[in-house]
Amino acid sequence: MARAHLSADNVENLFSETPLDALNFGSLKILADHLNPNGKLMELKDGTGIYVYDNFTGIVEQEHFPPEEIKDISDNPNPTNELISEMSEKSCTIGDLFRDVLNMGRIDIVQISRANWVKDCHVYADKRGAAPQMVMEIPVNLGHTKQYDAFLSYAYPNLRIAKRTIRKLENEGFTLFVPGRDDLPGGAKHVLTAYVIEKRCKRVIILLTKAFRSSPECDFQVRFANALDSGAIEMKIIPVICEDNVEVPRFLNFIHTCDITKNEWSKLYRALSHQCTGENTRFLESLTYPPPVNVENEFQQLSIHTDNISEDRYQPDGDSGIVHDIKAQDGNGNEVYV
C-alpha cells in the first residue's frame, strides 16, 4: 500500500512512537557499518560542551549506560547491534536513536537510513496487533536429538527480558531451548514441553517477573520441572529474578536464586556450568540410616499388669493435685513407671 509523503515533524513523531525492536536486519547492518569503526572526537550539538567519539561509543555516552553494560557492549564482536539490543531493553525508540545520531553530527547516517527507518516503522505499525512471537532462527527436525543446557521459561509480556537473557547466555556458549523459537512441530503443547524439559534439557531457567506468576504455561513448566527434582538435588531449576519486588513461588523458596537486576550474570553462568552427573544423588543413596523404630511393637512388649500397680504411687498430690506415676511390670518382670 502506498504511503503519503511525511513531513519532517511527522517523521520525528513516527520515530518517537516506534520501539527500536522494529529495525530490521538491513537497517541494523547499515548502522553497524557506520558506527562500529573508530570515530573521531567531536563536540555534541546540544550545547552541553561534552565531547564524544562519533561512533557507537558516542551513543553509549549519551544514553548513560552503567559500566558493566558498557563493557558488554564494547566486548561484543558487533558492538552496535549489542548497543541497539541494550537500548531496546531500556524501552528506547527509533526517535531516541535518531536524536543521538544527529547530536553527534552524523548526518550521513540519517540520510542513508531515513527511508529504511520509515519503512520499518510502517511495517511495525501494521503488525502491532499480532501476538508477540520469537522468530524461528533454526529449523527444528523432530528426528534429531539435540541436547540443551537449559529450557528458558518466560512469560510473553517479558519478551525483551527473554531476548536479553538469550543473547547473554548464547554469547557465552550455552545452548538454550526457547519456546516460540525452537518448538517441536505437532503434538499436544504440554506433552512436548514435558518431553523437552525431561529428556533434552539439563536445567530450566525461570525468569521470575510479575507476568510470570500469572502465566498458566509458565506455571506448568516450573511445576513439572520441580516434580522431576523436588529436592533440588540436581539443580534442575534455576530461578532468575528479573524485576524488583517480585514474589518467588512458595515451593521454590528453598532454592537459591540469582538476581539479574543486581547484575548477577556470573552467578547464572556458574549454575549452568555445574555438571549434572548424579553424584549428589549417589552420595545420598550411599548414606546408611538407623532402622525406623516400630512403635507398635514396642508397646506390645510393654505388658501392663494392673494387679501389680502400687497404690501408694497413684495418689494425687495434696498441694498441687498432680497424679504421680503408676508402677507396673513389663513382659520381663521388670518394674517400670508409666
Side-chain angles (χ1 to χ4, degrees):
M1 183 176 67
R3 302 280 182 178
H5 178 74
L6 298 175
S7 67
D9 288 341
N10 287 337
V11 167
E12 289 194 30
N13 289 336
L14 182 65
F15 288 170
S16 67
E17 295 171 356
T18 309
L20 275 174
D21 281 349
L23 294 180
N24 69 14
F25 177 80
S27 300
L28 294 174
K29 182 68 167 60
I30 293 172
L31 285 170
D33 289 344
H34 286 79
L35 291 174
N36 282 346
N38 294 331
K40 62 179 183 294
L41 192 65
M42 51 81 60
E43 184 180 0
L44 293 178
K45 306 298 183 183
D46 57 9
T48 57
I50 295 175
Y51 281 78
V52 299
Y53 286 94
D54 62 353
N55 61 356
F56 74 93
T57 61
I59 299 177
V60 169
E61 291 288 338
Q62 294 180 76
E63 292 298 328
H64 307 293
F65 282 99
E68 63 273 7
E69 292 185 8
I70 293 175
K71 185 177 186 305
D72 286 340
I73 294 170
S74 301
D75 291 346
N76 195 283
N78 190 337
T80 298
N81 271 11
E82 180 72 6
L83 168 63
I84 299 301
S85 296
E86 294 289 352
M87 289 178 67
S88 296
E89 292 295 326
K90 296 171 61 178
S91 300
C92 291
T93 64
I94 294 177
D96 296 320
L97 178 65
F98 180 71
R99 179 202 63 216
D100 292 342
V101 170
L102 280 179
N103 202 23
M104 295 192 304
R106 294 300 302 267
I107 305 298
D108 57 323
I109 295 178
V110 173
Q111 290 173 335
I112 294 172
S113 300
R114 182 181 182 277
N116 293 64
W117 292 359
V118 169
K119 182 196 70 173
D120 293 343
C121 289
H122 288 316
V123 171
Y124 174 81
D126 291 340
K127 294 182 177 180
R128 185 160 47 187
Q133 185 171 355
M134 303 195 72
V135 176
M136 179 78 76
E137 297 178 353
I138 304 172
V140 177
N141 183 346
L142 189 59
H144 76 46
T145 56
K146 180 178 179 179
Q147 298 297 306
Y148 299 87
D149 291 311
F151 179 99
L152 187 68
S153 179
Y154 69 96
Y156 279 128
N158 304 131
L159 193 57
R160 287 181 176 177
I161 298 174
K163 285 183 176 180
R164 184 186 184 198
T165 304
I166 293 165
R167 187 174 66 255
K168 290 273 191 181
L169 295 180
E170 292 188 343
N171 283 346
E172 292 291 324
F174 297 108
T175 55
L176 301 178
F177 185 96
V178 182
R181 186 191 73 177
D182 304 318
D183 291 331
L184 300 175
K189 182 181 294 185
H190 283 341
V191 173
L192 291 176
T193 296
Y195 163 74
V196 170
I197 290 175
E198 180 178 6
K199 301 296 185 183
R200 293 172 57 180
C201 296
K202 298 176 184 176
R203 292 185 172 83
V204 175
I205 298 171
I206 60 174
L207 302 185
L208 287 174
T209 61
K210 296 178 180 65
F212 184 95
R213 297 300 308 275
S214 58
S215 168
E217 288 187 356
C218 294
D219 184 69
F220 170 80
Q221 293 161 5
V222 69
R223 289 185 182 276
F224 180 79
N226 185 59
L228 295 176
D229 186 26
S230 57
I233 296 172
E234 293 298 333
M235 297 172 58
K236 183 73 173 180
I237 297 177
I238 304 176
V240 179
I241 296 175
C242 304
E243 291 178 349
D244 294 331
N245 303 317
V246 66
E247 182 181 356
V248 179
R250 289 183 61 186
F251 64 92
L252 297 180
N253 277 338
F254 69 99
I255 300 178
H256 288 296
T257 63
C258 65
D259 190 341
I260 61 174
T261 68
K262 298 177 181 177
N263 202 39
E264 293 183 346
W265 290 103
S266 60
K267 191 174 178 181
L268 179 56
Y269 301 155
R270 290 197 303 272
L272 285 172
S273 299
H274 179 76
Q275 295 298 317
C276 294
T277 60
E279 291 296 331
N280 293 335
T281 304
R282 287 195 289 273
F283 170 74
L284 290 176
E285 291 174 347
S286 69
L287 296 179
T288 58
Y289 302 92
V293 176
N294 190 325
V295 178
E296 183 178 352
N297 289 342
E298 290 293 323
F299 270 127
Q300 289 176 353
Q301 293 174 10
L302 183 60
S303 175
I304 303 298
H305 301 284
T306 55
D307 54 340
N308 292 328
I309 293 178
S310 174
E311 295 292 340
D312 64 315
R313 287 188 57 83
Y314 189 61
Q315 298 295 330
D317 189 304
D319 295 328
S320 63
I322 298 175
V323 177
H324 291 278
D325 295 338
I326 301 174
K327 183 170 68 174
Q329 289 185 351
D330 62 16
N332 298 322
N334 300 317
E335 286 190 347
V336 295
Y337 293 98
V338 293

